[in-house]
């Protein structure tokens, strides 16, 4: 079992518990909407870098998060940039030069967010492991998780992670599933990141 898709000359596909191609597809930020229930994402567009500014306008303006959409391994938020101004967009595009596809996702201030976990077991069954509140910095970066007995994840968060894990299991995935989601002002949940490890 490997946590990330490795070059084929390092580990042969047949030696892997989960196909590297499937692992890449599941972790591609541009494919998130394929794995979550309709209406469960924040408003987003997957576009070429030259189309980012138009996508920002279509989404109602700034702020947005730009995310790299790639089959390559990403992690730790290195491929995500919070853009609050046109200058931020320009800097992000310069920093992410060479990328062919970007996710432009509406950023909503002040939402409470959670990191939920599940395991897809060897027989394809799903076990929800739990969740914690995320602590996010002002510039949109993950800082830590915390267990807050006064603000546990809402019950529907557990169903959301179970649904994503079930879809991945049906595609042949086995392993740990991380689901990052935010609680909107109206109480609905929005999934904004998936991690398959």
């Amino acid at each position: 079992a490997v946590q990330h898709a490795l070059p084929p000359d390092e580990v042969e596909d047949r030696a892997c518990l989960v196909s590297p191609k499937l692992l890449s597809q599941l972790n591609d930020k541009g494919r998130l909407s394929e794995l979550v229930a309709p209406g469960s994402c924040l408003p987003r567009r997957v576009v070429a870098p030259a189309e980012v500014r138009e996508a920002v306008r279509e989404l109602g303006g700034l702020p947005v998060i730009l995310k790299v959409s790639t089959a390559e391994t990403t992690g730790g938020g290195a491929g995500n940039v919070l853009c609050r101004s046109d200058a931020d967009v320009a800097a992000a595009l310069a920093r992410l030069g060479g990328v062919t596809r970007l996710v432009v996702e509406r950023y909503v201030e002040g939402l409470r967010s959670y990191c939920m976990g599940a395991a897809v077991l060897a027989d394809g069954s799903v076990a929800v492991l739990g969740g914690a509140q995320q602590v996010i910095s002002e510039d949109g970066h993950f800082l830590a998780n915390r267990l807050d007995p006064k603000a546990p994840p809402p019950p529907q968060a557990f169903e959301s992670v179970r649904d994503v894990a079930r879809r991945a299991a049906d595609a042949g995935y086995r392993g740990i599933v991380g689901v990052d989601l935010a609680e909107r002002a109206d109480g609905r949940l929005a999934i904004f990141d998936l991690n398959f490890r």
Side-chain angles (χ1 to χ4, degrees):
V2 294
Q3 292 184 326
H4 304 279
L6 300 173
D9 58 335
E10 288 186 26
V11 177
E12 295 180 14
D13 286 7
R14 62 187 174 86
C16 296
L17 176 64
V18 176
S19 153
K21 182 179 178 183
L22 176 61
L23 197 58
S24 291
Q25 290 171 343
L26 294 172
N27 281 309
D28 183 341
K29 306 308 178 199
R31 301 183 76 158
L32 180 138
S33 59
E34 297 172 20
L35 291 162
V36 303
S40 294
C41 296
L42 292 170
R44 62 192 342 249
R45 303 282 186 277
V46 182
V47 299
E51 300 166 330
V52 164
R53 288 180 177 84
E54 178 59 29
V56 170
R57 281 190 290 278
E58 290 174 3
L59 292 171
L62 298 167
V64 298
I65 296 264
L66 297 185
K67 299 178 179 180
V68 173
S69 174
T70 179
E72 302 297 321
T73 295
T74 61
N80 301 340
V81 182
L82 173 59
C83 299
R84 297 180 187 276
S85 68
D86 290 334
D88 290 345
V89 173
L93 290 172
R95 187 181 123 207
L96 300 173
V99 172
T100 58
R101 288 184 345 137
L102 288 167
V103 176
V104 182
E105 185 175 81
R106 188 83 189 120
Y107 183 74
V108 182
E109 305 277 1
L111 295 184
R112 182 174 290 170
S113 65
Y114 301 93
C115 176
M116 305 295 296
V120 179
L121 305 178
D123 65 359
S125 63
V126 172
V128 176
L129 304 174
Q133 188 174 352
Q134 291 183 318
V135 180
I136 306 293
S137 69
E138 286 294 319
D139 61 353
H141 286 92
F142 169 80
L143 297 176
N145 287 333
R146 74 172 173 212
L147 296 173
D148 183 351
K150 295 178 184 173
Q156 64 267 36
F158 294 88
E159 289 309 310
S160 293
V161 70
R162 186 183 314 281
D163 181 59
V164 168
R166 176 82 266 135
R167 291 171 192 244
D170 291 346
Y173 179 75
R174 302 295 182 265
I176 302 297
V177 180
V179 177
D180 296 336
L181 47 84
E183 189 173 10
R184 304 185 215 205
D186 63 6
R188 292 181 303 137
L189 298 179
I191 295 172
F192 61 87
D193 195 21
L194 302 175
N195 293 288
F196 294 86
R197 305 288 190 244

